[in-house]
Amino acid sequence: MIAFNVPPYTGKEIKYIEEAVANHKICGDGAFTKKCNEWIEQKTGTPKALLTTSCTHATELAAILADIQPGDEVIMPSYTFVSTADAFVLRGATVVFVDIRPDTMNIDENLIEAAITDKTRAIVPVHYAGVSCEMDKIMEIAKKYNLCVIEDAAQGIMSTYKGKALGTIGDYGCFSFHETKNFSMGEGGAILIQKEDKIEEAEIIREKGTNRAKFFRGQIDKYTWVEKGSSYLPSDMNAAYLYAQLELAEEITADRMATWNMYHEAFEELEQKGLVERPFIPEHCTHNAHMYYLKCKDLEERSSLISYLKENDILAVFHYIPLHSAPAGAKYSRFHGEDKFTTAESERLVRLPLYYGLKKEEVEYIIGKVKEFYLK
Ligand SMILES: *Cc1c(COP(=O)(O)O)cnc(C)c1O
């Protein structure tokens, strides 16, 4: 069976975890956490990056920093993972969904302005498949209405928009290092903070409302409870696992990209025959080969393709059920405008296996089976 995903493992993870254990540093903010933070800062150019226990938690932290209050409204796409909405719903906000663009599956930047009310506080663009939303337009709207922009860049590490790293364009950016993402620590994430004057507040909230980070830097004699907060810092053992992968980030990305390009070239024929649609990468965006998907004709065809691949030992999957149609969506959200593409496009999308170390012969086998399904 060809798995849909295998968590990345480069070989050095165990050595680094042993080092963390030998250093007697298995709680948070040890040497490996610092190395990961610095790596992200250097790679993306963000003034501050902090590892968190997940991207969900990074987004929660961003929602607290943005001072989201009960009754506030937050605009995002419905075609996303639950965490994007949860982080704001936990603060008592109402989620307002707008439709996506069918070409990138990202929020349609031209529908955002009409969804703004006097309660709107934030826009949350989700960079689906590591391909950027139209950030110039989104930032222009945010500026005009004085809204906070929190980028869900869970899938977007190593991708850029007009030369800028995803996660560094809005006020806050959130990365995921879940085992299904390009680089992993099992469960984990990071928050990227653009405004210097929000860094200390972020450190405090992440460390249970204490000024412990300042204490560790030797800036104060003892630390104390200074604000409301939670615990969003991961164990240094997890950071050790992640650091081994960040060191090989270029290699991991190149490996994924080779698979992505093989799929993309192979399926051009099917697209030209009008049988499937392939992902679209806008010219001003670079992507990180996070995901390869195809769009079938409809739901029925997608189900048959997934079954056909399964019969041939290939695990292909679909996602997301649009949040506005989920049970919690009915309670905490509303859809502004018409659902022209969110449901229809999500029902025909299928993701093919893509992970670090997927063999060339396996990719060829998968391509062969997809072509067989369409051309037999
Ligand atoms: C994976 C993912 C998340 C959640 O990441 P966790 O680290 O598991 O919390 C959020 N948003 C999107 C778009 C994702 O793909």
Side-chain angles (χ1 to χ4, degrees):
M1 195 60 114
I2 300 180
F4 168 70
N5 176 62
V6 175
Y9 182 75
T10 66
K12 259 197 173 170
E13 287 85 348
I14 289 290
K15 184 176 166 276
Y16 285 171
I17 290 171
E18 278 174 357
E19 264 178 51
V21 173
N23 290 341
H24 303 298
K25 199 64 199 175
I26 57 172
C27 69
D29 279 339
F32 286 104
T33 304
K34 288 203 179 80
K35 282 182 180 180
C36 290
N37 293 345
E38 280 162 18
W39 186 94
I40 296 170
E41 285 159 13
Q42 275 185 0
K43 189 76 202 169
T44 65
T46 189
K48 191 73 198 170
L50 295 168
L51 282 195
T52 57
T53 29
S54 64
C55 178
T56 307
H57 279 167
T59 315
E60 275 182 42
L61 181 46
I64 298 170
L65 288 166
D67 197 26
I68 300 299
Q69 298 290 329
D72 288 352
E73 292 181 358
V74 178
I75 297 173
M76 65 181 69
S78 173
Y79 185 67
T80 183
F81 189 56
V82 293
S83 307
T84 322
D86 268 330
F88 299 94
V89 168
L90 273 178
R91 309 239 63 76
T94 297
V95 172
V96 177
F97 297 119
V98 299
D99 210 5
I100 54 167
R101 301 162 42 133
D103 57 355
T104 55
M105 303 297 284
N106 283 334
I107 191 166
D108 186 335
E109 66 279 5
N110 294 314
L111 300 176
I112 294 172
E113 197 162 358
I116 292 173
T117 70
D118 56 4
K119 290 183 180 155
T120 309
R121 293 289 170 269
I123 306 172
V124 188
V126 180
H127 304 300
Y128 185 69
V131 179
S132 184
C133 299
E134 277 309 317
M135 292 309 292
D136 278 354
K137 175 80 187 195
I138 290 170
M139 294 312 291
E140 185 192 306
I141 297 167
K143 200 168 171 198
K144 183 169 164 192
Y145 293 92
N146 194 26
L147 306 176
C148 181
V149 174
I150 298 158
E151 295 176 70
D152 180 337
Q155 307 175 5
I157 192 165
M158 303 288 276
S159 296
T160 64
Y161 171 80
K162 299 189 177 175
K164 285 186 208 145
L166 300 194
T168 68
I169 305 162
D171 299 86
Y172 306 103
C174 305
F175 284 164
S176 174
F177 300 118
H178 184 260
E179 72 165 29
T180 52
K181 302 304 198 290
N182 289 23
F183 316 128
S184 179
M185 53 197 280
E187 300 277 355
I191 183 167
L192 281 63
I193 302 156
Q194 296 316 306
K195 291 200 183 99
E196 301 274 355
D197 62 355
K198 283 288 184 180
I199 294 173
E200 195 179 325
E201 200 183 331
E203 287 175 339
I204 289 168
I205 296 164
R206 178 172 167 272
E207 268 272 26
K208 300 129 188 128
T210 71
N211 51 2
R212 199 154 180 243
K214 240 177 160 172
F215 169 72
F216 276 133
R217 283 194 295 266
Q219 293 165 334
I220 45 175
D221 295 336
K222 58 179 180 217
Y223 74 88
T224 184
W225 185 33
V226 289
E227 248 307 337
K228 61 185 183 301
S230 189
S231 185
Y232 294 128
L233 71 170
S235 158
D236 214 48
M237 289 192 289
N238 296 56
Y241 190 101
L242 177 66
Y243 190 63
Q245 298 179 20
L246 296 182
E247 277 188 324
L248 291 181
E250 302 292 341
E251 189 184 311
I252 292 172
T253 305
D255 180 271
R256 299 183 71 103
M257 198 61 81
T259 298
W260 198 98
N261 286 333
M262 273 177 76
Y263 280 142
H264 206 58
E265 277 162 36
F267 297 133
E268 190 180 356
E269 183 195 351
L270 298 183
E271 190 175 62
Q272 276 170 358
K273 290 195 160 94
L275 296 167
V276 298
E277 281 165 47
R278 297 180 302 161
F280 166 71
I281 315 291
E283 216 157 278
H284 48 274
C285 298
T286 66
H287 73 105
N288 57 1
H290 173 62
M291 184 192 304
Y292 199 85
Y293 65 80
L294 290 174
K295 283 200 223 158
C296 307
K297 187 169 75 189
D298 52 26
L299 180 60
E300 198 186 333
E301 187 184 273
R302 179 179 75 179
S303 305
S304 330
L305 174 60
I306 292 175
S307 304
Y308 187 76
L309 293 175
K310 200 166 182 187
E311 281 159 28
N312 287 285
D313 292 329
I314 300 163
L315 283 177
V317 304
F318 65 83
H319 75 171
Y320 305 113
I321 308 290
L323 297 183
H324 72 282
S325 55
K331 281 189 258 181
Y332 303 122
S333 74
R334 69 162 187 274
F335 198 102
H336 185 273
E338 191 193 343
D339 171 9
K340 211 165 151 191
F341 296 113
T342 301
T343 302
E345 296 298 298
S346 69
E347 284 181 346
R348 51 197 204 99
L349 185 142
V350 56
R351 300 176 62 182
L352 299 178
L354 176 51
Y355 53 86
Y356 174 62
L358 181 63
K359 292 188 189 73
K360 192 163 174 249
E361 310 84 80
E362 292 172 321
V363 182
E364 279 163 356
Y365 174 75
I366 297 163
I367 289 169
K369 288 299 166 192
V370 172
K371 286 197 167 177
E372 205 174 274
F373 176 82
Y374 278 105
L375 303 171
K376 71 185 170 235

